[in-house]
Amino acid sequence: MDHFSLIDGAMHAESVPLALIAEQVGTPVYVYSRATLTRHARVFREGLAGVERPHFAYAIKANPNLAVLKVLADEGYGADVVSGGELARALASGMKAEDVVFSGVGKTRAELQRALDAGLGQFNLELEEEGEALSGLAVASGRRANATLRVNPDVDAGTHAKISTGKRENKFGVPIDQAPAIFGRLAALPGLAMRGIAIHIGSQLFDLAPLEAAYRRVGELVAQLRAAGHPIERVDLGGGLGVPYKAGDNPPSPAEYGAMVARVTKGWDVTLMFEPGRVIAGNAGVLLTRVIWVKPGVVHPYVIVDAAMNDLMRPALYDAWHDFAAVRPTGARMIANIAGPVCESGDTFAMAREIDAVKSGDLAVFRTAGAYGATMASTYNSRGLVPEVMVDGDKYAVVADRIAPETIIAAERLPEWLTA
């Protein structure tokens, strides 16, 4: 459920007309619903109510806007971060350092040091050398770093290849069969407190079976590590639950997921850590755009909108689906291709799709754009960075400014030897 609906024939975000935002902020623009974020955060937590000692760390990469993070911090969520920049955002939003988990396969030594200095709650180690480096930094700083070892269970998540992370050929984690030996060596290092195991097999998952298979393998590993004398206190189960992008999509609910987790992890006696991202933010946002032209095509017309692949990368990157809807639908329908103004044939959002009939000047939205939208934007074709707005009931605020091309150009320099 989201809070983007028709009121008197026009689409609103909660109680704010999208046409008003377009008029006052301009397009393209991302629009987020606070009520939807709050509801999804609570539904996810309620779905895991049957799990003992859960810890919730929102995956910041899904949507790192400070206003989004503040809403989730107020709901008691910590953060899953994958860079020093994301750590800074988590702390700036009011999330506690001890509630932050640092994931990611390429943490630099400088980022590890910054996280140590901040009092980070957990490091998810991706390789043995990373653990050795963290040990050295911790000892030199007079600190002790809480850490888990991320394992790769070699489970096919059944999702898009570019968002699958749990197969042996993926870059994430250590092979699960090598984990006991690696864990033992890391546990012996000074400055490290090896607390447990971490796992994440992919994103946008519609089937609980791969997750259950991966979790069962982790359960066996936990038992093996304990038998070797290691006190396992935490298991980080990652995230990955899918969201519906189009009619007919039926991902597992948080309650269904929670029931599976409770069943599989019964008796583990650990803190279970969860890193939801898309399932919280995905349907909490839309990308509001304006039709520039409806261009005749050989087979179907092209609806050219002012949003482009640099604003919403997912369709070009993953052939991802985003529903396209008119802000003021007439009831008429058309079959069209939807494309942006960027000079790439890949700058298309849909081909031969049945959509609300639109014409030049009309407003429309790409739905389910609250996750992996603005955060993946670029300035390709020297386009500005898209702004972000948050709605709360009958009011709204710009929570990220539009960054104009002129501002971006002003950050560039010509060397002396080109101006002489």
Side-chain angles (χ1 to χ4, degrees):
M1 175 184 174
D2 60 47
H3 291 77
F4 298 93
S5 58
L6 296 178
I7 302 175
D8 295 329
M11 192 177 297
H12 287 55
E14 301 187 25
S15 298
V16 177
L18 290 181
L20 177 65
I21 295 174
E23 176 186 345
Q24 296 185 352
V25 181
T27 57
V29 55
Y30 280 95
V31 182
Y32 308 131
S33 160
R34 178 181 181 178
T36 306
L37 285 167
T38 300
R39 179 182 181 276
H40 288 177
R42 293 176 182 177
V43 167
F44 190 85
R45 182 187 297 277
E46 290 162 4
L48 278 295
V51 173
E52 295 182 8
R53 306 205 309 271
H55 177 273
F56 300 98
Y58 168 70
I60 284 185
K61 62 181 176 290
N63 186 325
N65 183 276
L66 283 177
V68 171
L69 301 186
K70 182 62 167 66
V71 169
L72 297 177
D74 289 347
E75 289 297 316
Y77 277 65
D80 168 50
V81 305
V82 296
S83 72
E86 288 190 350
L87 171 60
R89 284 180 172 273
L91 299 179
S93 74
M95 292 174 172
K96 298 176 182 178
E98 58 265 32
D99 290 334
V100 177
V101 176
F102 200 166
S103 303
V105 73
K107 310 177 199 71
T108 67
R109 285 167 174 77
E111 288 175 322
L112 292 172
Q113 184 66 60
R114 197 176 314 154
L116 274 171
D117 293 343
L120 192 85
Q122 179 173 302
F123 295 83
N124 288 350
L125 301 177
E126 289 271 357
L127 70 162
E128 189 168 358
E129 186 179 1
E130 181 187 11
E132 293 167 353
L134 180 59
S135 167
L137 292 170
V139 169
S141 303
R143 294 181 170 87
R144 190 166 174 80
N146 292 318
T148 67
L149 179 64
R150 179 170 177 176
V151 300
N152 186 319
D154 193 22
V155 170
D156 187 347
T159 188
H160 192 286
K162 294 194 176 176
I163 49 176
S164 178
T165 59
K167 294 192 290 185
R168 60 183 179 180
E169 61 266 30
N170 296 138
K171 68 180 181 179
F172 299 97
V174 302
I176 196 166
D177 60 329
Q178 298 178 25
I182 294 173
F183 193 98
R185 291 192 292 270
L186 291 175
L189 293 177
L192 280 190
M194 294 301 297
R195 302 294 190 188
I197 295 297
I199 191 173
H200 177 72
I201 66 169
S203 298
Q204 188 57 5
L205 305 183
F206 272 41
D207 186 357
L208 292 178
L211 287 169
E212 180 168 346
Y215 295 170
R216 289 193 181 279
R217 293 185 184 182
V218 168
E220 294 169 358
L221 176 60
V222 166
Q224 187 177 357
L225 291 171
R226 282 177 170 162
H230 300 294
I232 304 301
E233 304 168 3
R234 307 175 185 177
V235 175
D236 189 334
L237 296 179
L241 277 191
V243 301
Y245 280 94
K246 59 183 176 180
D249 282 354
N250 188 31
S253 69
E256 291 168 331
Y257 172 67
M260 181 274 286
V261 171
R263 173 171 49 81
V264 173
T265 65
K266 186 176 181 180
W268 284 13
D269 189 25
V270 295
T271 295
L272 289 175
M273 312 185 77
F274 301 93
E275 297 164 359
R278 187 193 316 263
V279 72
I280 303 291
N283 281 304
V286 299
L287 176 56
L288 178 59
T289 186
R290 191 178 295 276
V291 177
I292 304 174
W293 311 109
V294 177
K295 178 182 178 181
V298 174
V299 180
H300 302 294
Y302 275 87
V303 174
I304 309 296
V305 297
D306 62 3
M309 63 184 288
N310 72 294
D311 304 308
L312 179 60
M313 176 62 74
R314 294 186 70 255
L317 196 60
Y318 308 130
D319 294 321
W321 179 292
H322 287 270
D323 278 341
F324 181 82
V327 165
R328 188 175 284 277
T330 63
R333 305 284 285 176
M334 65 189 294
I335 296 178
N337 308 317
I338 308 167
V342 158
C343 282
E344 295 276 353
S345 294
D347 184 24
T348 54
F349 297 101
M351 297 296 288
R353 185 183 297 181
E354 183 179 347
I355 60 172
D356 291 329
V358 291
K359 62 184 184 305
S360 296
D362 285 353
L363 292 170
V365 297
F366 293 102
R367 287 186 172 272
T368 320
Y372 305 103
T375 186
M376 297 176 77
S378 75
T379 61
Y380 186 48
N381 277 195
S382 292
R383 289 168 53 86
L385 286 173
V386 66
E388 300 165 77
V389 162
M390 181 172 285
V391 172
D392 184 6
D394 61 357
K395 59 184 180 292
Y396 78 87
V398 176
V399 294
D401 291 335
R402 188 184 305 278
I403 301 180
E406 294 78 12
T407 301
I408 298 165
I409 292 172
E412 299 178 18
R413 300 286 182 271
L414 288 173
E416 280 185 17
W417 42 267
L418 282 180
T419 60

